Amino acid sequence: MPDLLLELRSEEIPARMQRKAAGDLKKLVTDALVEAGLTYEGAREYWTPRRLTLDVRGLTARSADQREEIKGPSTKAPEQAVQGFLRKAGLSSVAEAQVVSDPKKGDFYLAVLSRPGRAAEEVIAAVMPGIIRNFPWPKSMRWGAASMPKGARFGGVDGKGSESLRWVRPLQSIVCVFGPEHDETQVIPFEIDGLVAGNVTYGHRFHAPEPITVRRFDDYVTSLEKAKVMLDAERRKDVILHDSRDLAFANGLELVEDEGLLEEVSGLVEWPHVLMGEFEQDYLEIPTEIIRLTIKTNQKCFVARLQGEERLSNRFILVSNIEAKDGGKEIIHGNGKVVRARLSDAKHFWTRDQGNLPDLQELEASAKTFALDLKKPLDQRMAKLDALNVTFHAKLGTQGQRVARIRSLAAKLAEMIHADAKLVDRAVVLAKADLRTEAVGEFPELQGLMGRRYAALQGEDASVAAAVEDHYKPQGPSDRVPDDKVSITVALADKLDTLTGFWAIDEKPTGSKDPYALRRAALGVVRILLECNVRLNLLPVLQAAMPGDAGAPTVSPMSVEGSEKAQALADNSYINETFPVVDPSARTVEDLLSFFHDRLKVYLRDQGARHDIIDAVLTPEADDLLMVARRAEALTAFITSEEGRNLLAGTKRAVQLLAAEEKKGTVVADGVSEELLKLDAEKALWSAIKAASGEATEAIAKEDFRSAMEALAKLRAPVDRFFEDVLVNDEDTAVRANRLALLKAIREATATVADFSKIAG
Amino acid sequence: MTDLPDHMSPTRSFQGLILALHNYWADKGCAVLQPYDMEVGAGTFHPATTLRALGPKPWKAAYVQPSRRPSDGRYGENPNRLQHYYQYQVILKPNPSNLQELYLGSLKAIGLDPLLHDVRFVEDDWESPTLGAWGLGWECWCDGMEVSQFTYFQQVCGIECSPVAGELTYGLERLAMYVQGVDNVYELNFNGREGEEKISYGDVFLQAEQEYSRHNFEFADTAMLHRHFIDAEKECQALLAAGAPGASANQMLHKCVFPAYDQCIKASHVFNLLDARGVISVTERQSYILRVRTLAKACGEAFLLTDAGGINFGSEAA
């Protein structure tokens, strides 16, 4: 079985696009081969900054012969219909068609087309140009003489204008060799815009600029390796990771690992060579996160910490693309200079953020609104944020108005959660202040974290400083959930304000689109409530938080500042409209509650809960999510016990019998008549039901779901005995009706805990 | 190159660096032009790039362009930031297929050996909202420092490029600081001499940086600048109308594109000055950019109706 080797060599492909492009190449090529009737045993894609490579093994040499029949119209059909059939079948005259008789329809035409199988080479040559021309790059370009207008020629190349080949960067050569595993291979020389596929590639740009002739994948990889190109990105990552760890270790340090950076760096080099540089100790007074991000974002280098410590060292690890003649001295020297210059900028931001803003007198009104102390740097930044009228969202007002809303919601929540009201208020007014700091302007991902640093530096209470960072948490399913009550309160207020706001202006997530990360916000609320054991009835809270409900804020007339920072902060659209008309109706609130229910289901399922059990306990108006989760937990434990399984079976049987009767139109009485109870098993069941439902109801009222389940568990034996000893269909209709009422009583008793009919099994 | 005296070496003097690049690109067939005699924000604004990137006619040019970014002024106190600096600009149209190799050759010519220094092409797509232009390419890194911008123009003045031109822009001060091993731009050796004969970058430009920073941030008359912006905008439109085809009988060509484009450049620089003075709000900023882009587009379209813009290109070839 022959193999296929394909390489598309280009100028440097952006690192972030390489992995997906190689995957797309594999899918497009193998799909096209299969579509053409070929099969293959396996295919694997590779990539470097300068090439996408595909290795397809065990291709069939030919596709099978194919026969196709196309039914035509009746032989009596009008000429037009016959012509249409001939065109469709690709025949030149009716003489080429067969005539077939059908007892019902009469004679009709039939075209029998037989397509002989095609050689794999032919298929490959036919499909490749289309795949390359229509390759799904996120951004592509034209280049060179082929982009001359049509009809013009330059350097022997015909211009193709806007139809010239597009690729992510200029495509330089194509390798396409095909052949059996142990025999001679051949080139499949398809052509695209003057580029002809061959068997020649090139190695490392600087170390091995000579051409390399390849025969198949094995010698291709070996030759590239000799020419200082490591084809497999996973191997490059591995080499970078291990060499970096080793180099750090040898210097008494520990690499700060970063998968995203590792992936990116592996896409910037064909021959990774790890080196270590350093910067002055003085820069270590800048917060760790700023140092790490400065070095990562701008220089694509790793940082290292002291072994066994959180503190960073003054070393950084860089990955070069060459084995330099001087062992890397010049490269280390050069990178060190740039890192120092960047850190010097970062230090500048860090220091300036701790200083006073100019024109403090202009911030007095804002300071008053938020009870800010203009002697403190972070307070000044919040006042500035408000004074600038920076837009949060065109329909939801400014950042200042948003903070005001969060503030009033947080005050209500603080009472319910029993958090310190003063600390909560202080945390809220400082929570967004760092959006005006230079450090966050430079690295937006540091929002919250920088605020916490600056809050601690100006002597805020530890819970306030923590809440400034933690009110953004948790950001997703694996992020940390805050545990301090002040943080919990501000985090809930922030998220609930966002959710009610976007619900009020009808900007809900749809399908895969969730630009404001509302699913993440709702999941955050769910996680906080459940993981911090917070009891909260959401309905009244959502109602109160819904903007436009009471005292809807109005947007003051536009005031604009020409600062570039203001622009960096928001989407630079200043609003000059009044607060929008919103829908404060109960339906919006209900709709949002059901969105929380969806997030809760997803969360509980991820925790391993059965969805039938969640459905059995989740009623549409349930707004205390913690209680829903507790109930589901208790029910799960119960249902998996033997008692529970049997009671479920008995209850289901009762429910089924009842359903059958109710379908027939039988009206089943609500009460059981004790006089009509004849058999012991009936009497025992009735007294058990009375006792159990009383106990269960009482336990539910105390939210003690375990005891409620235990009470129900006592029903198991009487229910089982009832179905063994008692025939519901008694000849006496009064007895029969009474027994049905008894079944109904089982259903009612279990319903105090959950809707058993929704539970599977 | 080898027989150059030390003081002419690109690693010893700022002017030596410029001369080495001139020699290199002259040898590759570029017309070595002089800087454009107007204030521009970048080498791309020179009509030898903006306008010549349009139309079908092949073109090769290299030049130094003094570039002014009024808001980058730091009163001479920042060792890396200048409101006036030099770009070395190369444009090759259509881009030759070995443009990357040519670029790397130019680095060797100024003393950067790619087996000693880590040269990398890192994704960086270029866009100029004021010129209605964009392209794909890279930042070229040398040992982690961005030393050049490498772009394949796809669109200029809102017009699709056919053919595509390759543009290389070298930040000369930064490159010189690197090859001279200097941390402060004002300490660059300008003329390559030592002792009494030495002229530094600071000798040439420090006072100017201080004065222009005052001008840009404090003294420039904003009312006058507003008027100049409007005048330049009007004049650009008027010149384009005056030279338009059909203005006189049998006139097929546009007759006044370069002068009109000068007014577009002027408007752009005045806008940058107003911006540095802090009198343009965020919303106004967008509208100024749009107004300059409208002028640039009109100039680009007019250029296509000229000889240099290739209106007769097909018939010449035939």
Side-chain angles (χ1 to χ4, degrees):
Chain A
M1 299 277 261
D3 302 331
L4 169 68
L5 169 65
L6 194 68
E7 182 200 63
L8 302 171
R9 192 178 60 91
S10 66
E11 297 179 3
E12 277 75 357
I13 307 167
R16 66 194 167 91
M17 299 178 188
Q18 294 164 15
R19 180 183 288 272
K20 176 169 184 300
D24 286 343
L25 179 67
K26 176 166 98 173
K27 183 164 189 333
L28 291 168
V29 172
T30 53
D31 283 359
L33 296 179
V34 170
E35 168 81 6
L38 299 173
T39 62
Y40 65 98
E41 283 163 8
R44 197 179 152 189
E45 75 276 30
Y46 299 88
W47 62 91
T48 78
R50 296 172 70 207
R51 57 200 96 217
L52 301 179
T53 299
L54 180 62
D55 172 26
V56 184
R57 298 292 173 100
L59 257 179
T60 38
R62 279 189 82 75
S63 61
D65 295 346
Q66 284 177 332
R67 188 169 179 278
E68 191 190 1
E69 292 187 351
I70 298 176
K71 274 188 188 156
S74 156
T75 48
K76 292 179 195 121
E79 183 59 17
Q80 223 180 342
V82 175
Q83 286 303 323
F85 160 67
L86 293 177
R87 264 198 308 279
K88 186 180 163 199
L91 302 181
S92 50
S93 80
V94 282
E96 292 172 23
Q98 296 179 14
V99 174
V100 183
S101 295
D102 183 285
K104 279 184 198 156
K105 295 182 194 157
D107 291 356
F108 65 91
Y109 291 116
L110 181 74
V112 179
L113 309 173
S114 67
R115 284 196 208 93
R118 292 156 80 199
E121 293 95 312
E122 198 186 314
V123 172
I124 293 162
V127 301
M128 281 315 301
I131 290 174
I132 293 172
R133 273 193 196 283
N134 302 311
F135 202 80
W137 290 110
K139 256 187 195 174
S140 62
M141 56 166 277
R142 296 169 296 107
W143 66 90
S147 66
M148 291 287 286
K150 272 190 189 171
R153 253 178 97 78
F154 186 83
V157 177
D158 284 321
K160 301 207 165 170
S162 58
E163 285 161 28
S164 67
L165 176 61
R166 303 184 74 91
W167 199 247
V168 64
R169 293 292 184 277
L171 182 61
Q172 287 175 324
S173 71
I174 302 172
V175 167
C176 186
V177 290
F178 178 80
E181 201 177 343
H182 299 295
D183 215 336
E184 274 309 298
T185 54
Q186 62 172 103
V187 168
I188 303 180
F190 66 84
E191 191 233 296
I192 178 162
D193 268 24
L195 208 58
V196 181
N199 58 357
V200 174
T201 187
Y202 292 83
H204 189 280
R205 187 190 279 292
F206 304 118
H207 283 305
E210 307 79 21
I212 299 168
T213 305
V214 298
R215 285 177 304 163
R216 56 173 54 82
F217 185 75
D218 292 349
D219 67 77
Y220 167 76
V221 176
T222 321
S223 308
L224 282 184
E225 191 82 17
K226 267 190 221 143
K228 304 240 191 270
V229 173
M230 221 179 267
L231 182 66
D232 186 350
E234 302 304 334
R235 225 190 104 217
R236 291 197 301 276
K237 282 172 79 169
D238 210 50
V239 165
I240 295 169
L241 182 62
H242 286 97
D243 289 1
S244 304
R245 280 182 187 156
D246 292 350
L247 187 57
F249 187 78
N251 285 275
L253 307 170
E254 197 181 329
L255 176 74
V256 176
E257 296 186 13
D258 183 330
E259 172 59 29
L261 180 59
L262 181 60
E263 171 82 12
E264 183 179 7
V265 169
S266 76
L268 292 173
V269 293
E270 290 201 309
W271 193 249
H273 195 69
V274 173
L275 298 166
M276 180 177 275
E278 68 181 325
F279 51 86
E280 286 71 17
Q281 289 279 355
D282 294 357
Y283 290 121
L284 291 174
E285 72 182 59
I286 310 169
T288 304
E289 296 77 12
I290 298 190
I291 296 180
R292 192 179 61 77
L293 276 173
T294 300
I295 291 180
K296 168 191 176 167
T297 316
N298 298 315
Q299 294 310 124
K300 314 208 188 296
C301 296
F302 295 89
V303 289
R305 58 170 91 84
L306 302 167
Q307 263 169 25
E309 290 187 49
E310 279 304 302
R311 275 190 305 145
L312 283 189
S313 70
N314 65 330
R315 305 292 182 89
F316 65 93
I317 291 171
L318 73 103
V319 183
S320 77
N321 190 31
I322 56 167
E323 272 177 54
K325 290 187 285 194
D326 64 350
K329 264 171 64 186
E330 286 283 340
I331 298 175
I332 290 170
H333 175 74
N335 276 276
K337 276 181 82 156
V338 190
V339 163
R340 279 191 282 277
R342 296 282 191 183
L343 288 176
S344 154
D345 280 349
K347 193 174 169 189
H348 181 69
F349 301 143
W350 169 242
T351 323
R352 277 174 56 112
D353 285 340
Q354 297 172 51
N356 285 331
L357 290 176
D359 307 326
L360 284 178
Q361 66 283 357
E362 286 169 22
L363 302 178
E364 274 160 17
S366 298
K368 213 174 149 204
T369 311
F370 293 99
L372 298 166
D373 176 358
L374 285 184
K375 288 199 233 29
K376 297 181 175 174
L378 199 56
D379 291 56
Q380 295 172 12
R381 268 78 188 166
M382 176 57 211
K384 189 81 181 173
L385 182 69
D386 180 57
L388 280 175
N389 283 334
V390 177
T391 309
F392 166 58
H393 180 282
K395 289 182 180 171
L396 291 172
T398 64
Q399 292 281 16
Q401 290 169 331
R402 177 180 170 220
V403 172
R405 285 198 306 270
I406 297 174
R407 200 177 173 205
S408 79
L409 180 57
K412 291 190 190 103
L413 289 171
E415 237 174 89
M416 302 180 195
I417 296 171
H418 308 296
D420 185 308
K422 268 193 184 158
L423 295 181
V424 165
D425 193 61
R426 183 70 182 147
V428 172
V429 298
L430 294 179
K432 307 293 179 190
D434 68 355
L435 295 179
R436 286 295 318 169
T437 62
E438 297 195 23
V440 174
E442 184 73 10
F443 299 113
E445 61 266 58
L446 289 183
Q447 67 174 13
L449 196 140
M450 291 320 300
R452 177 187 199 150
R453 293 273 184 165
Y454 296 131
L457 279 171
Q458 66 177 33
E460 300 297 331
D461 184 283
S463 325
V464 170
V468 170
E469 178 180 8
D470 290 352
H471 82 280
Y472 287 110
K473 294 184 179 299
Q475 304 214 28
S478 50
D479 193 21
R480 181 170 60 85
V481 172
D483 50 10
D484 181 282
K485 279 196 172 173
V486 176
S487 293
I488 290 173
T489 309
V490 185
L492 285 174
D494 183 42
K495 291 173 176 64
L496 291 171
D497 175 70
T498 301
L499 286 160
T500 50
F502 284 103
W503 243 255
I505 60 168
D506 201 23
E507 292 256 12
K508 304 174 216 172
T510 50
S512 60
K513 285 201 181 108
D514 184 9
Y516 305 108
L518 300 180
R519 288 194 184 100
R520 196 171 72 188
L523 175 67
V525 172
V526 168
R527 287 195 59 201
I528 292 173
L529 295 177
L530 269 52
E531 293 174 32
C532 304
N533 293 314
V534 178
R535 296 281 319 268
L536 193 69
N537 287 102
L538 279 176
L539 277 175
V541 174
L542 297 180
Q543 190 70 52
M546 198 58 81
D549 197 38
T554 48
V555 176
S556 51
M558 187 164 86
S559 102
V560 175
E561 195 222 42
S563 134
E564 52 184 33
K565 283 287 164 185
Q567 186 196 12
L569 268 171
D571 54 4
N572 72 26
S573 57
Y574 280 79
I575 55 167
N576 52 4
E577 50 185 309
T578 48
F579 203 78
V581 181
V582 291
D583 172 15
S585 76
R587 267 188 42 212
T588 310
V589 171
E590 278 165 28
D591 189 50
L592 180 51
L593 182 63
S594 85
F595 184 71
F596 276 110
H597 285 174
D598 291 342
R599 289 357 283 165
L600 176 68
K601 283 184 198 172
V602 171
Y603 175 78
L604 291 176
R605 255 177 262 162
D606 285 350
Q607 303 280 307
R610 278 165 46 180
H611 58 80
D612 54 331
I613 288 186
I614 304 170
D615 287 342
V617 298
L618 189 59
T619 55
E621 65 284 352
D623 71 339
D624 184 337
L625 303 186
L626 179 62
M627 285 306 107
V628 173
R630 292 267 170 84
R631 207 180 262 241
E633 221 170 83
L635 185 59
T636 305
F638 180 57
I639 276 315
T640 47
S641 71
E642 209 203 327
E643 304 275 293
R645 262 200 306 278
N646 285 322
L647 179 64
L648 176 64
T651 308
K652 280 197 163 274
R653 196 162 156 195
V655 170
Q656 276 160 15
L657 283 168
L658 279 171
E661 285 300 321
E662 281 163 353
K663 213 176 163 189
K664 281 189 245 163
T666 315
V667 178
V668 181
D670 273 334
V672 171
S673 154
E674 295 196 3
E675 293 97 74
L676 288 171
L677 297 173
K678 293 197 295 190
L679 302 173
D680 284 350
E682 286 182 278
K683 290 176 188 162
L685 176 59
W686 175 236
S687 59
I689 291 174
K690 281 193 290 183
S693 58
E695 262 179 67
T697 312
E698 215 170 289
I700 295 281
K702 285 190 267 175
E703 277 142 7
D704 181 355
F705 301 108
R706 181 185 298 232
S707 302
M709 301 291 168
E710 278 167 10
L712 286 185
K714 292 178 192 156
L715 281 178
R716 181 227 158 158
V719 167
D720 286 354
R721 212 181 125 205
F722 175 82
F723 281 118
E724 264 168 44
D725 296 358
V726 180
L727 187 69
V728 176
N729 275 328
D730 197 86
E731 285 166 5
D732 181 339
T733 50
V735 170
R736 182 171 180 271
N738 200 45
R739 286 181 183 162
L740 286 173
L742 199 52
L743 292 181
K744 193 170 174 181
I746 300 177
R747 186 171 69 184
E748 308 283 301
T750 54
T752 53
V753 172
D755 184 349
F756 276 48
S757 70
K758 287 190 174 153
I759 303 173
Chain B
M1 288 297 186
T2 45
D3 47 6
L4 279 179
D6 267 2
H7 62 267
M8 296 290 281
S9 155
T11 62
R12 295 284 292 274
S13 85
F14 190 66
Q15 64 205 31
L17 177 68
I18 294 172
L19 292 171
L21 286 171
H22 272 339
N23 261 319
Y24 181 83
W25 288 109
D27 183 46
K28 303 298 173 197
C30 287
V32 173
L33 305 179
Q34 300 305 314
Y36 203 55
D37 59 343
M38 291 185 67
E39 298 126 318
V40 294
T44 310
F45 277 85
H46 194 309
T49 293
T50 310
L51 295 180
R52 299 282 179 172
L54 296 169
K57 280 190 157 181
W59 175 251
K60 281 183 181 182
Y63 53 89
V64 175
Q65 182 61 49
S67 303
R68 306 227 190 187
R69 306 243 166 124
S71 31
D72 281 355
R74 293 294 182 271
Y75 296 85
E77 286 161 14
N78 184 305
N80 298 301
R81 287 258 206 172
L82 300 162
Q83 57 82 44
H84 169 284
Y85 68 105
Y86 286 120
Q87 286 190 342
Y88 196 91
Q89 175 87 0
V90 180
I91 176 160
L92 301 165
K93 172 189 166 195
N95 70 274
S97 57
N98 63 342
L99 185 54
Q100 278 189 317
E101 307 308 320
L102 291 176
Y103 168 71
L104 292 167
S106 73
L107 292 187
K108 275 188 197 158
I110 56 174
L112 292 171
D113 175 354
L115 286 173
L116 203 53
H117 295 278
D118 188 24
V119 179
R120 226 86 74 69
F121 294 91
V122 180
E123 175 190 16
D124 188 36
D125 300 339
W126 173 84
E127 189 183 12
S128 165
T130 29
L131 283 180
W134 70 275
L136 298 190
W138 310 273
E139 293 178 342
C140 306
W141 283 21
C142 177
D143 300 335
M145 180 173 62
E146 183 194 344
V147 290
S148 313
Q149 188 78 35
F150 189 131
T151 308
Y152 292 106
F153 282 156
Q154 302 295 299
Q155 217 180 62
V156 172
C157 296
I159 297 163
E160 208 65 25
C161 295
S162 182
V164 165
E167 181 207 46
L168 304 172
T169 305
Y170 305 72
L172 284 177
E173 284 80 358
R174 206 189 273 197
L175 202 50
M177 283 164 74
Y178 196 65
V179 295
Q180 288 191 26
V182 162
D183 289 325
N184 185 329
V185 66
Y186 298 107
E187 285 164 16
L188 279 175
N189 190 329
F190 208 102
N191 65 349
R193 303 290 177 151
E194 296 302 330
E196 292 181 330
E197 289 193 310
K198 176 177 166 179
I199 298 176
S200 73
Y201 195 90
D203 292 334
V204 184
F205 286 117
L206 180 59
Q207 184 184 329
E209 279 298 314
Q210 294 161 344
E211 294 182 5
Y212 275 106
S213 293
R214 281 172 216 131
H215 167 264
N216 300 344
F217 293 126
E218 302 167 42
F219 301 159
D221 180 341
T222 56
M224 178 201 74
L225 289 172
H226 269 294
R227 286 197 307 275
H228 284 186
F229 184 89
I230 292 163
D231 285 348
E233 187 182 40
K234 278 192 190 148
E235 181 70 351
C236 178
Q237 290 160 343
L239 292 174
L240 285 175
S248 58
N250 298 328
Q251 184 195 334
M252 305 296 291
L253 298 184
H254 199 292
K255 290 184 153 180
C256 198
V257 182
F258 284 103
Y261 180 66
D262 281 356
Q263 298 302 316
C264 168
I265 295 178
K266 192 168 278 179
S268 171
H269 178 63
V270 170
F271 158 66
N272 288 338
L273 279 172
L274 285 166
D275 200 26
R277 286 286 276 115
V279 295
I280 294 180
S281 77
V282 181
T283 29
E284 280 178 303
R285 211 166 176 278
Q286 283 308 314
S287 100
Y288 271 104
I289 289 174
L290 190 67
R291 283 162 77 176
V292 178
R293 178 160 70 221
T294 307
L295 298 180
K297 277 187 164 179
C299 292
E301 279 156 18
F303 182 72
L304 293 181
L305 305 176
T306 67
D307 195 42
I311 193 168
N312 296 317
F313 185 64
S315 48
E316 272 169 34

